[in-house]
PDB file of all heavy atoms in Angstrom:
ATOM      1  N   LYS V 144       0.845  -1.214  -0.024  1.00 51.00           N
ATOM      2  CA  LYS V 144      -0.047  -0.030  -0.081  1.00 51.00           C
ATOM      3  C   LYS V 144       0.886   1.238   0.084  1.00 51.00           C
ATOM      4  O   LYS V 144       1.799   1.319   0.710  1.00 51.00           O
ATOM      5  CB  LYS V 144      -0.898  -0.039   1.224  1.00 51.00           C
ATOM      6  CG  LYS V 144      -1.838  -1.103   1.244  1.00 51.00           C
ATOM      7  CD  LYS V 144      -2.853  -1.119   2.519  1.00 51.00           C
ATOM      8  CE  LYS V 144      -3.835  -2.209   2.415  1.00 51.00           C
ATOM      9  NZ  LYS V 144      -4.701  -2.187   3.643  1.00 51.00           N
ATOM     10  N   ALA V 145       0.470   2.285  -0.705  1.00 50.00           N
ATOM     11  CA  ALA V 145       1.098   3.508  -0.737  1.00 50.00           C
ATOM     12  C   ALA V 145       1.113   4.169   0.574  1.00 50.00           C
ATOM     13  O   ALA V 145       0.050   4.310   1.190  1.00 50.00           O
ATOM     14  CB  ALA V 145       0.605   4.355  -1.892  1.00 50.00           C
ATOM     15  N   VAL V 146       2.209   4.728   1.061  1.00 57.00           N
ATOM     16  CA  VAL V 146       2.280   5.492   2.315  1.00 57.00           C
ATOM     17  C   VAL V 146       2.913   6.789   2.049  1.00 57.00           C
ATOM     18  O   VAL V 146       3.936   6.841   1.406  1.00 57.00           O
ATOM     19  CB  VAL V 146       3.156   4.695   3.237  1.00 57.00           C
ATOM     20  CG1 VAL V 146       3.300   5.497   4.665  1.00 57.00           C
ATOM     21  CG2 VAL V 146       2.643   3.259   3.563  1.00 57.00           C
ATOM     22  N   ASP V 147       2.296   7.850   2.496  1.00 63.00           N
ATOM     23  CA  ASP V 147       2.760   9.215   2.195  1.00 63.00           C
ATOM     24  C   ASP V 147       4.004   9.498   2.988  1.00 63.00           C
ATOM     25  O   ASP V 147       4.187   8.812   4.047  1.00 63.00           O
ATOM     26  CB  ASP V 147       1.670  10.321   2.371  1.00 63.00           C
ATOM     27  CG  ASP V 147       1.114  10.171   3.775  1.00 63.00           C
ATOM     28  OD1 ASP V 147       1.841  10.828   4.642  1.00 63.00           O
ATOM     29  OD2 ASP V 147       0.112   9.593   4.024  1.00 63.00           O
ATOM     30  N   GLU V 148       4.828  10.494   2.669  1.00 65.00           N
ATOM     31  CA  GLU V 148       6.022  10.796   3.206  1.00 65.00           C
ATOM     32  C   GLU V 148       5.791  11.243   4.670  1.00 65.00           C
ATOM     33  O   GLU V 148       6.638  10.784   5.630  1.00 65.00           O
ATOM     34  CB  GLU V 148       6.710  11.908   2.542  1.00 65.00           C
ATOM     35  CG  GLU V 148       8.155  12.121   2.997  1.00 65.00           C
ATOM     36  CD  GLU V 148       9.061  10.931   2.683  1.00 65.00           C
ATOM     37  OE1 GLU V 148       8.805  10.152   1.827  1.00 65.00           O
ATOM     38  OE2 GLU V 148       9.982  10.765   3.503  1.00 65.00           O
ATOM     39  N   SER V 149       4.824  11.970   5.043  1.00 71.00           N
ATOM     40  CA  SER V 149       4.608  12.381   6.463  1.00 71.00           C
ATOM     41  C   SER V 149       4.317  11.237   7.339  1.00 71.00           C
ATOM     42  O   SER V 149       4.839  11.195   8.491  1.00 71.00           O
ATOM     43  CB  SER V 149       3.427  13.392   6.497  1.00 71.00           C
ATOM     44  OG  SER V 149       2.290  12.782   5.915  1.00 71.00           O
ATOM     45  N   THR V 150       3.505  10.268   6.838  1.00 65.00           N
ATOM     46  CA  THR V 150       3.324   8.982   7.632  1.00 65.00           C
ATOM     47  C   THR V 150       4.560   8.241   7.805  1.00 65.00           C
ATOM     48  O   THR V 150       4.886   7.661   8.875  1.00 65.00           O
ATOM     49  CB  THR V 150       2.241   8.120   6.968  1.00 65.00           C
ATOM     50  OG1 THR V 150       1.044   8.946   6.706  1.00 65.00           O
ATOM     51  CG2 THR V 150       1.902   6.922   7.742  1.00 65.00           C
ATOM     52  N   LEU V 151       5.434   8.133   6.840  1.00 65.00           N
ATOM     53  CA  LEU V 151       6.634   7.398   6.839  1.00 65.00           C
ATOM     54  C   LEU V 151       7.592   8.046   7.903  1.00 65.00           C
ATOM     55  O   LEU V 151       8.239   7.355   8.744  1.00 65.00           O
ATOM     56  CB  LEU V 151       7.472   7.514   5.574  1.00 65.00           C
ATOM     57  CG  LEU V 151       6.837   6.533   4.504  1.00 65.00           C
ATOM     58  CD1 LEU V 151       7.665   6.640   3.191  1.00 65.00           C
ATOM     59  CD2 LEU V 151       7.122   5.079   4.975  1.00 65.00           C
ATOM     60  N   GLU V 152       7.641   9.303   7.970  1.00 71.00           N
ATOM     61  CA  GLU V 152       8.404  10.088   8.898  1.00 71.00           C
ATOM     62  C   GLU V 152       8.026   9.881  10.353  1.00 71.00           C
ATOM     63  O   GLU V 152       8.668   9.699  11.277  1.00 71.00           O
ATOM     64  CB  GLU V 152       8.483  11.589   8.609  1.00 71.00           C
ATOM     65  CG  GLU V 152       9.281  11.890   7.331  1.00 71.00           C
ATOM     66  CD  GLU V 152       9.225  13.399   7.135  1.00 71.00           C
ATOM     67  OE1 GLU V 152       8.575  14.141   7.882  1.00 71.00           O
ATOM     68  OE2 GLU V 152       9.742  13.859   6.003  1.00 71.00           O
ATOM     69  N   MET V 153       6.627   9.791  10.420  1.00 74.00           N
ATOM     70  CA  MET V 153       6.049   9.552  11.795  1.00 74.00           C
ATOM     71  C   MET V 153       6.372   8.110  12.224  1.00 74.00           C
ATOM     72  O   MET V 153       6.745   7.947  13.410  1.00 74.00           O
ATOM     73  CB  MET V 153       4.521   9.773  11.747  1.00 74.00           C
ATOM     74  CG  MET V 153       3.923   9.557  13.034  1.00 74.00           C
ATOM     75  SD  MET V 153       2.085   9.694  12.931  1.00 74.00           S
ATOM     76  CE  MET V 153       1.692   8.216  11.925  1.00 74.00           C
ATOM     77  N   LEU V 154       6.265   7.202  11.356  1.00 65.00           N
ATOM     78  CA  LEU V 154       6.529   5.746  11.725  1.00 65.00           C
ATOM     79  C   LEU V 154       8.028   5.627  12.032  1.00 65.00           C
ATOM     80  O   LEU V 154       8.331   4.908  13.023  1.00 65.00           O
ATOM     81  CB  LEU V 154       6.163   4.843  10.556  1.00 65.00           C
ATOM     82  CG  LEU V 154       4.683   4.678  10.345  1.00 65.00           C
ATOM     83  CD1 LEU V 154       4.378   3.905   9.068  1.00 65.00           C
ATOM     84  CD2 LEU V 154       3.984   3.954  11.493  1.00 65.00           C
ATOM     85  N   ARG V 155       8.928   6.325  11.235  1.00 69.00           N
ATOM     86  CA  ARG V 155      10.335   6.070  11.493  1.00 69.00           C
ATOM     87  C   ARG V 155      10.713   6.745  12.866  1.00 69.00           C
ATOM     88  O   ARG V 155      11.543   6.165  13.628  1.00 69.00           O
ATOM     89  CB  ARG V 155      11.122   6.756  10.507  1.00 69.00           C
ATOM     90  CG  ARG V 155      11.133   6.021   9.109  1.00 69.00           C
ATOM     91  CD  ARG V 155      11.904   6.770   8.070  1.00 69.00           C
ATOM     92  NE  ARG V 155      11.787   5.995   6.758  1.00 69.00           N
ATOM     93  CZ  ARG V 155      11.391   6.570   5.700  1.00 69.00           C
ATOM     94  NH1 ARG V 155      11.135   7.809   5.666  1.00 69.00           N
ATOM     95  NH2 ARG V 155      11.303   5.958   4.519  1.00 69.00           N
ATOM     96  N   ALA V 156      10.004   7.875  13.258  1.00 73.00           N
ATOM     97  CA  ALA V 156      10.346   8.506  14.481  1.00 73.00           C
ATOM     98  C   ALA V 156       9.770   7.600  15.622  1.00 73.00           C
ATOM     99  O   ALA V 156      10.413   7.528  16.700  1.00 73.00           O
ATOM    100  CB  ALA V 156       9.692   9.847  14.552  1.00 73.00           C
ATOM    101  N   ARG V 157       8.587   6.997  15.424  1.00 70.00           N
ATOM    102  CA  ARG V 157       8.005   6.228  16.464  1.00 70.00           C
ATOM    103  C   ARG V 157       8.973   5.036  16.883  1.00 70.00           C
ATOM    104  O   ARG V 157       9.112   4.629  17.973  1.00 70.00           O
ATOM    105  CB  ARG V 157       6.699   5.592  15.954  1.00 70.00           C
ATOM    106  CG  ARG V 157       5.997   4.702  16.940  1.00 70.00           C
ATOM    107  CD  ARG V 157       4.618   4.293  16.470  1.00 70.00           C
ATOM    108  NE  ARG V 157       4.087   3.337  17.428  1.00 70.00           N
ATOM    109  CZ  ARG V 157       2.956   2.657  17.132  1.00 70.00           C
ATOM    110  NH1 ARG V 157       2.239   2.925  15.857  1.00 70.00           N
ATOM    111  NH2 ARG V 157       2.363   1.799  17.938  1.00 70.00           N
ATOM    112  N   TYR V 158       9.627   4.417  15.820  1.00 67.00           N
ATOM    113  CA  TYR V 158      10.495   3.189  16.031  1.00 67.00           C
ATOM    114  C   TYR V 158      11.899   3.669  16.254  1.00 67.00           C
ATOM    115  O   TYR V 158      12.798   2.759  16.185  1.00 67.00           O
ATOM    116  CB  TYR V 158      10.310   2.232  14.993  1.00 67.00           C
ATOM    117  CG  TYR V 158       8.958   1.502  15.106  1.00 67.00           C
ATOM    118  CD1 TYR V 158       7.873   1.948  14.323  1.00 67.00           C
ATOM    119  CD2 TYR V 158       8.805   0.377  15.917  1.00 67.00           C
ATOM    120  CE1 TYR V 158       6.723   1.322  14.464  1.00 67.00           C
ATOM    121  CE2 TYR V 158       7.612  -0.181  15.977  1.00 67.00           C
ATOM    122  CZ  TYR V 158       6.597   0.236  15.239  1.00 67.00           C
ATOM    123  OH  TYR V 158       5.333  -0.423  15.321  1.00 67.00           O
ATOM    124  N   GLY V 159      12.284   4.986  16.200  1.00 69.00           N
ATOM    125  CA  GLY V 159      13.623   5.463  16.431  1.00 69.00           C
ATOM    126  C   GLY V 159      14.495   5.353  15.128  1.00 69.00           C
ATOM    127  O   GLY V 159      15.730   5.404  15.319  1.00 69.00           O
ATOM    128  N   LEU V 160      13.983   5.082  14.037  1.00 69.00           N
ATOM    129  CA  LEU V 160      14.718   4.945  12.771  1.00 69.00           C
ATOM    130  C   LEU V 160      14.977   6.261  12.122  1.00 69.00           C
ATOM    131  O   LEU V 160      15.739   6.197  11.075  1.00 69.00           O
ATOM    132  CB  LEU V 160      13.987   4.013  11.778  1.00 69.00           C
ATOM    133  CG  LEU V 160      13.612   2.600  12.238  1.00 69.00           C
ATOM    134  CD1 LEU V 160      12.823   1.795  11.262  1.00 69.00           C
ATOM    135  CD2 LEU V 160      14.995   1.834  12.633  1.00 69.00           C
ATOM    136  N   ASP V 161      14.631   7.384  12.732  1.00 72.00           N
ATOM    137  CA  ASP V 161      14.980   8.689  12.126  1.00 72.00           C
ATOM    138  C   ASP V 161      16.277   9.243  12.695  1.00 72.00           C
ATOM    139  O   ASP V 161      16.778  10.172  12.130  1.00 72.00           O
ATOM    140  CB  ASP V 161      13.853   9.657  12.372  1.00 72.00           C
ATOM    141  CG  ASP V 161      13.636   9.771  13.903  1.00 72.00           C
ATOM    142  OD1 ASP V 161      13.889   8.871  14.663  1.00 72.00           O
ATOM    143  OD2 ASP V 161      13.153  10.862  14.374  1.00 72.00           O
ATOM    144  N   LYS V 162      16.802   8.487  13.720  1.00 79.00           N
ATOM    145  CA  LYS V 162      17.998   9.048  14.321  1.00 79.00           C
ATOM    146  C   LYS V 162      19.199   8.538  13.575  1.00 79.00           C
ATOM    147  O   LYS V 162      19.056   7.523  12.733  1.00 79.00           O
ATOM    148  CB  LYS V 162      18.145   8.444  15.806  1.00 79.00           C
ATOM    149  CG  LYS V 162      16.923   9.089  16.752  1.00 79.00           C
ATOM    150  CD  LYS V 162      17.200   8.441  18.074  1.00 79.00           C
ATOM    151  CE  LYS V 162      16.067   9.110  19.081  1.00 79.00           C
ATOM    152  NZ  LYS V 162      14.752   8.751  18.562  1.00 79.00           N
ATOM    153  N   PRO V 163      20.440   9.147  13.751  1.00 80.00           N
ATOM    154  CA  PRO V 163      21.628   8.587  13.081  1.00 80.00           C
ATOM    155  C   PRO V 163      21.877   7.086  13.503  1.00 80.00           C
ATOM    156  O   PRO V 163      21.559   6.607  14.602  1.00 80.00           O
ATOM    157  CB  PRO V 163      22.744   9.531  13.603  1.00 80.00           C
ATOM    158  CG  PRO V 163      21.912  10.756  14.060  1.00 80.00           C
ATOM    159  CD  PRO V 163      20.652  10.291  14.541  1.00 80.00           C
ATOM    160  N   VAL V 164      22.610   6.418  12.561  1.00 79.00           N
ATOM    161  CA  VAL V 164      22.822   4.967  12.855  1.00 79.00           C
ATOM    162  C   VAL V 164      23.567   4.727  14.136  1.00 79.00           C
ATOM    163  O   VAL V 164      23.235   3.771  14.915  1.00 79.00           O
ATOM    164  CB  VAL V 164      23.602   4.368  11.712  1.00 79.00           C
ATOM    165  CG1 VAL V 164      23.998   2.887  11.953  1.00 79.00           C
ATOM    166  CG2 VAL V 164      22.812   4.453  10.338  1.00 79.00           C
ATOM    167  N   TRP V 165      24.617   5.574  14.557  1.00 83.00           N
ATOM    168  CA  TRP V 165      25.302   5.333  15.689  1.00 83.00           C
ATOM    169  C   TRP V 165      24.539   5.494  16.953  1.00 83.00           C
ATOM    170  O   TRP V 165      24.667   4.791  17.901  1.00 83.00           O
ATOM    171  CB  TRP V 165      26.510   6.297  15.749  1.00 83.00           C
ATOM    172  CG  TRP V 165      26.101   7.757  15.964  1.00 83.00           C
ATOM    173  CD1 TRP V 165      25.910   8.693  15.056  1.00 83.00           C
ATOM    174  CD2 TRP V 165      25.855   8.438  17.251  1.00 83.00           C
ATOM    175  NE1 TRP V 165      25.607   9.951  15.527  1.00 83.00           N
ATOM    176  CE2 TRP V 165      25.550   9.730  16.930  1.00 83.00           C
ATOM    177  CE3 TRP V 165      25.907   7.901  18.565  1.00 83.00           C
ATOM    178  CZ2 TRP V 165      25.261  10.661  17.940  1.00 83.00           C
ATOM    179  CZ3 TRP V 165      25.609   8.932  19.548  1.00 83.00           C
ATOM    180  CH2 TRP V 165      25.329  10.299  19.149  1.00 83.00           C
ATOM    181  N   GLN V 166      23.578   6.400  16.880  1.00 85.00           N
ATOM    182  CA  GLN V 166      22.640   6.584  18.014  1.00 85.00           C
ATOM    183  C   GLN V 166      21.545   5.379  18.110  1.00 85.00           C
ATOM    184  O   GLN V 166      21.235   4.994  19.263  1.00 85.00           O
ATOM    185  CB  GLN V 166      21.895   7.915  17.940  1.00 85.00           C
ATOM    186  CG  GLN V 166      21.148   8.357  19.161  1.00 85.00           C
ATOM    187  CD  GLN V 166      20.546   9.757  19.123  1.00 85.00           C
ATOM    188  OE1 GLN V 166      20.944  10.521  18.144  1.00 85.00           O
ATOM    189  NE2 GLN V 166      19.708  10.078  19.922  1.00 85.00           N
ATOM    190  N   GLN V 167      21.177   4.996  16.985  1.00 83.00           N
ATOM    191  CA  GLN V 167      20.200   3.754  16.907  1.00 83.00           C
ATOM    192  C   GLN V 167      20.901   2.554  17.641  1.00 83.00           C
ATOM    193  O   GLN V 167      20.414   1.862  18.284  1.00 83.00           O
ATOM    194  CB  GLN V 167      19.871   3.443  15.491  1.00 83.00           C
ATOM    195  CG  GLN V 167      18.885   4.442  14.885  1.00 83.00           C
ATOM    196  CD  GLN V 167      18.524   3.996  13.556  1.00 83.00           C
ATOM    197  OE1 GLN V 167      18.172   2.806  13.221  1.00 83.00           O
ATOM    198  NE2 GLN V 167      18.485   4.976  12.573  1.00 83.00           N
ATOM    199  N   PHE V 168      22.224   2.486  17.213  1.00 86.00           N
ATOM    200  CA  PHE V 168      23.077   1.405  17.690  1.00 86.00           C
ATOM    201  C   PHE V 168      23.238   1.354  19.228  1.00 86.00           C
ATOM    202  O   PHE V 168      23.105   0.360  19.858  1.00 86.00           O
ATOM    203  CB  PHE V 168      24.490   1.272  17.052  1.00 86.00           C
ATOM    204  CG  PHE V 168      25.447   0.321  17.636  1.00 86.00           C
ATOM    205  CD1 PHE V 168      25.173  -1.046  17.443  1.00 86.00           C
ATOM    206  CD2 PHE V 168      26.495   0.640  18.350  1.00 86.00           C
ATOM    207  CE1 PHE V 168      26.054  -1.977  17.948  1.00 86.00           C
ATOM    208  CE2 PHE V 168      27.377  -0.210  18.923  1.00 86.00           C
ATOM    209  CZ  PHE V 168      27.050  -1.593  18.671  1.00 86.00           C
ATOM    210  N   LEU V 169      23.432   2.630  19.653  1.00 88.00           N
ATOM    211  CA  LEU V 169      23.733   2.848  21.104  1.00 88.00           C
ATOM    212  C   LEU V 169      22.435   2.529  21.857  1.00 88.00           C
ATOM    213  O   LEU V 169      22.517   1.771  22.929  1.00 88.00           O
ATOM    214  CB  LEU V 169      24.134   4.217  21.434  1.00 88.00           C
ATOM    215  CG  LEU V 169      24.511   4.568  22.895  1.00 88.00           C
ATOM    216  CD1 LEU V 169      25.632   3.785  23.353  1.00 88.00           C
ATOM    217  CD2 LEU V 169      24.789   6.035  23.061  1.00 88.00           C
ATOM    218  N   ASN V 170      21.276   2.999  21.343  1.00 86.00           N
ATOM    219  CA  ASN V 170      19.981   2.655  22.046  1.00 86.00           C
ATOM    220  C   ASN V 170      19.733   1.221  21.937  1.00 86.00           C
ATOM    221  O   ASN V 170      19.158   0.580  23.054  1.00 86.00           O
ATOM    222  CB  ASN V 170      18.871   3.539  21.312  1.00 86.00           C
ATOM    223  CG  ASN V 170      19.057   4.961  21.687  1.00 86.00           C
ATOM    224  OD1 ASN V 170      19.654   5.356  22.552  1.00 86.00           O
ATOM    225  ND2 ASN V 170      18.483   5.778  20.734  1.00 86.00           N
ATOM    226  N   TYR V 171      20.084   0.617  20.867  1.00 84.00           N
ATOM    227  CA  TYR V 171      19.720  -0.813  20.658  1.00 84.00           C
ATOM    228  C   TYR V 171      20.538  -1.672  21.763  1.00 84.00           C
ATOM    229  O   TYR V 171      19.926  -2.655  22.341  1.00 84.00           O
ATOM    230  CB  TYR V 171      20.165  -1.219  19.291  1.00 84.00           C
ATOM    231  CG  TYR V 171      20.144  -2.790  19.005  1.00 84.00           C
ATOM    232  CD1 TYR V 171      18.820  -3.423  18.901  1.00 84.00           C
ATOM    233  CD2 TYR V 171      21.264  -3.541  18.839  1.00 84.00           C
ATOM    234  CE1 TYR V 171      18.798  -4.834  18.835  1.00 84.00           C
ATOM    235  CE2 TYR V 171      21.266  -4.891  18.662  1.00 84.00           C
ATOM    236  CZ  TYR V 171      19.940  -5.527  18.570  1.00 84.00           C
ATOM    237  OH  TYR V 171      20.024  -6.934  18.530  1.00 84.00           O
ATOM    238  N   MET V 172      21.777  -1.335  21.866  1.00 88.00           N
ATOM    239  CA  MET V 172      22.650  -2.144  22.751  1.00 88.00           C
ATOM    240  C   MET V 172      22.244  -1.961  24.255  1.00 88.00           C
ATOM    241  O   MET V 172      22.160  -2.904  24.988  1.00 88.00           O
ATOM    242  CB  MET V 172      24.116  -1.741  22.593  1.00 88.00           C
ATOM    243  CG  MET V 172      24.678  -2.113  21.271  1.00 88.00           C
ATOM    244  SD  MET V 172      24.628  -3.953  20.875  1.00 88.00           S
ATOM    245  CE  MET V 172      25.721  -4.595  22.160  1.00 88.00           C
ATOM    246  N   ILE V 173      21.833  -0.713  24.537  1.00 88.00           N
ATOM    247  CA  ILE V 173      21.348  -0.495  25.871  1.00 88.00           C
ATOM    248  C   ILE V 173      20.112  -1.278  26.262  1.00 88.00           C
ATOM    249  O   ILE V 173      19.944  -1.866  27.239  1.00 88.00           O
ATOM    250  CB  ILE V 173      21.076   1.045  26.147  1.00 88.00           C
ATOM    251  CG1 ILE V 173      22.439   1.800  26.107  1.00 88.00           C
ATOM    252  CG2 ILE V 173      20.315   1.329  27.387  1.00 88.00           C
ATOM    253  CD1 ILE V 173      22.269   3.311  26.160  1.00 88.00           C
ATOM    254  N   ASN V 174      19.160  -1.261  25.220  1.00 86.00           N
ATOM    255  CA  ASN V 174      17.947  -2.040  25.290  1.00 86.00           C
ATOM    256  C   ASN V 174      18.214  -3.517  25.390  1.00 86.00           C
ATOM    257  O   ASN V 174      17.442  -4.265  26.202  1.00 86.00           O
ATOM    258  CB  ASN V 174      17.018  -1.730  24.188  1.00 86.00           C
ATOM    259  CG  ASN V 174      16.401  -0.315  24.354  1.00 86.00           C
ATOM    260  OD1 ASN V 174      16.244   0.211  25.373  1.00 86.00           O
ATOM    261  ND2 ASN V 174      16.107   0.201  23.081  1.00 86.00           N
ATOM    262  N   VAL V 175      19.107  -3.953  24.694  1.00 87.00           N
ATOM    263  CA  VAL V 175      19.463  -5.464  24.730  1.00 87.00           C
ATOM    264  C   VAL V 175      20.085  -5.831  26.168  1.00 87.00           C
ATOM    265  O   VAL V 175      19.580  -6.944  26.781  1.00 87.00           O
ATOM    266  CB  VAL V 175      20.548  -5.787  23.703  1.00 87.00           C
ATOM    267  CG1 VAL V 175      21.126  -7.184  23.928  1.00 87.00           C
ATOM    268  CG2 VAL V 175      19.964  -5.792  22.294  1.00 87.00           C
ATOM    269  N   PHE V 176      20.794  -4.990  26.742  1.00 87.00           N
ATOM    270  CA  PHE V 176      21.328  -5.288  28.092  1.00 87.00           C
ATOM    271  C   PHE V 176      20.237  -5.228  29.189  1.00 87.00           C
ATOM    272  O   PHE V 176      20.309  -5.762  30.152  1.00 87.00           O
ATOM    273  CB  PHE V 176      22.341  -4.396  28.435  1.00 87.00           C
ATOM    274  CG  PHE V 176      23.810  -4.778  27.893  1.00 87.00           C
ATOM    275  CD1 PHE V 176      24.368  -3.971  26.838  1.00 87.00           C
ATOM    276  CD2 PHE V 176      24.379  -5.911  28.212  1.00 87.00           C
ATOM    277  CE1 PHE V 176      25.587  -4.397  26.272  1.00 87.00           C
ATOM    278  CE2 PHE V 176      25.666  -6.322  27.634  1.00 87.00           C
ATOM    279  CZ  PHE V 176      26.204  -5.592  26.676  1.00 87.00           C
ATOM    280  N   ARG V 177      19.101  -4.455  28.768  1.00 87.00           N
ATOM    281  CA  ARG V 177      18.074  -4.412  29.726  1.00 87.00           C
ATOM    282  C   ARG V 177      17.078  -5.429  29.508  1.00 87.00           C
ATOM    283  O   ARG V 177      15.956  -5.640  30.179  1.00 87.00           O
ATOM    284  CB  ARG V 177      17.338  -2.979  29.510  1.00 87.00           C
ATOM    285  CG  ARG V 177      18.093  -1.829  30.007  1.00 87.00           C
ATOM    286  CD  ARG V 177      17.541  -0.431  29.515  1.00 87.00           C
ATOM    287  NE  ARG V 177      16.025  -0.397  29.737  1.00 87.00           N
ATOM    288  CZ  ARG V 177      15.338   0.460  29.251  1.00 87.00           C
ATOM    289  NH1 ARG V 177      15.740   1.370  28.335  1.00 87.00           N
ATOM    290  NH2 ARG V 177      13.978   0.571  29.494  1.00 87.00           N
ATOM    291  N   GLY V 178      17.275  -6.292  28.433  1.00 84.00           N
ATOM    292  CA  GLY V 178      16.333  -7.338  28.093  1.00 84.00           C
ATOM    293  C   GLY V 178      15.137  -6.932  27.228  1.00 84.00           C
ATOM    294  O   GLY V 178      14.175  -7.517  27.146  1.00 84.00           O
ATOM    295  N   ASP V 179      15.313  -5.785  26.540  1.00 85.00           N
ATOM    296  CA  ASP V 179      14.184  -5.255  25.600  1.00 85.00           C
ATOM    297  C   ASP V 179      14.737  -5.409  24.305  1.00 85.00           C
ATOM    298  O   ASP V 179      15.687  -4.751  23.744  1.00 85.00           O
ATOM    299  CB  ASP V 179      13.982  -3.840  26.021  1.00 85.00           C
ATOM    300  CG  ASP V 179      12.852  -3.233  25.186  1.00 85.00           C
ATOM    301  OD1 ASP V 179      12.162  -4.001  24.432  1.00 85.00           O
ATOM    302  OD2 ASP V 179      12.665  -2.002  25.250  1.00 85.00           O
ATOM    303  N   LEU V 180      14.081  -6.287  23.402  1.00 86.00           N
ATOM    304  CA  LEU V 180      14.393  -6.345  21.995  1.00 86.00           C
ATOM    305  C   LEU V 180      13.503  -5.595  21.059  1.00 86.00           C
ATOM    306  O   LEU V 180      13.638  -5.782  19.854  1.00 86.00           O
ATOM    307  CB  LEU V 180      14.275  -7.904  21.606  1.00 86.00           C
ATOM    308  CG  LEU V 180      15.213  -8.824  22.385  1.00 86.00           C
ATOM    309  CD1 LEU V 180      14.928 -10.251  21.940  1.00 86.00           C
ATOM    310  CD2 LEU V 180      16.565  -8.388  22.228  1.00 86.00           C
ATOM    311  N   GLY V 181      12.742  -4.675  21.633  1.00 83.00           N
ATOM    312  CA  GLY V 181      11.980  -3.754  20.837  1.00 83.00           C
ATOM    313  C   GLY V 181      10.586  -4.296  20.462  1.00 83.00           C
ATOM    314  O   GLY V 181      10.242  -5.332  20.793  1.00 83.00           O
ATOM    315  N   VAL V 182       9.909  -3.592  19.583  1.00 84.00           N
ATOM    316  CA  VAL V 182       8.555  -3.924  19.076  1.00 84.00           C
ATOM    317  C   VAL V 182       8.627  -4.239  17.596  1.00 84.00           C
ATOM    318  O   VAL V 182       9.289  -3.466  16.806  1.00 84.00           O
ATOM    319  CB  VAL V 182       7.575  -2.833  19.330  1.00 84.00           C
ATOM    320  CG1 VAL V 182       6.180  -3.045  18.852  1.00 84.00           C
ATOM    321  CG2 VAL V 182       7.551  -2.480  20.842  1.00 84.00           C
ATOM    322  N   SER V 183       8.010  -5.267  17.188  1.00 85.00           N
ATOM    323  CA  SER V 183       7.957  -5.685  15.765  1.00 85.00           C
ATOM    324  C   SER V 183       7.147  -4.607  14.942  1.00 85.00           C
ATOM    325  O   SER V 183       6.067  -4.259  15.274  1.00 85.00           O
ATOM    326  CB  SER V 183       7.326  -7.075  15.642  1.00 85.00           C
ATOM    327  OG  SER V 183       7.003  -7.266  14.339  1.00 85.00           O
ATOM    328  N   THR V 184       7.829  -4.089  13.962  1.00 79.00           N
ATOM    329  CA  THR V 184       7.133  -3.192  13.049  1.00 79.00           C
ATOM    330  C   THR V 184       6.070  -3.881  12.275  1.00 79.00           C
ATOM    331  O   THR V 184       5.097  -3.056  11.814  1.00 79.00           O
ATOM    332  CB  THR V 184       8.124  -2.496  12.028  1.00 79.00           C
ATOM    333  OG1 THR V 184       8.793  -3.599  11.276  1.00 79.00           O
ATOM    334  CG2 THR V 184       9.140  -1.774  12.910  1.00 79.00           C
TER     335      THR V 184
END
């Protein structure tokens, strides 16, 4: 299904994919050590 750009930006921000890769990696590793593997998109 077609998704407009504003919706894509909102979804990326919701799942933290709008941040730089290094920041995503840091958040991911912190969450892993906390036992949180995130939410399935």
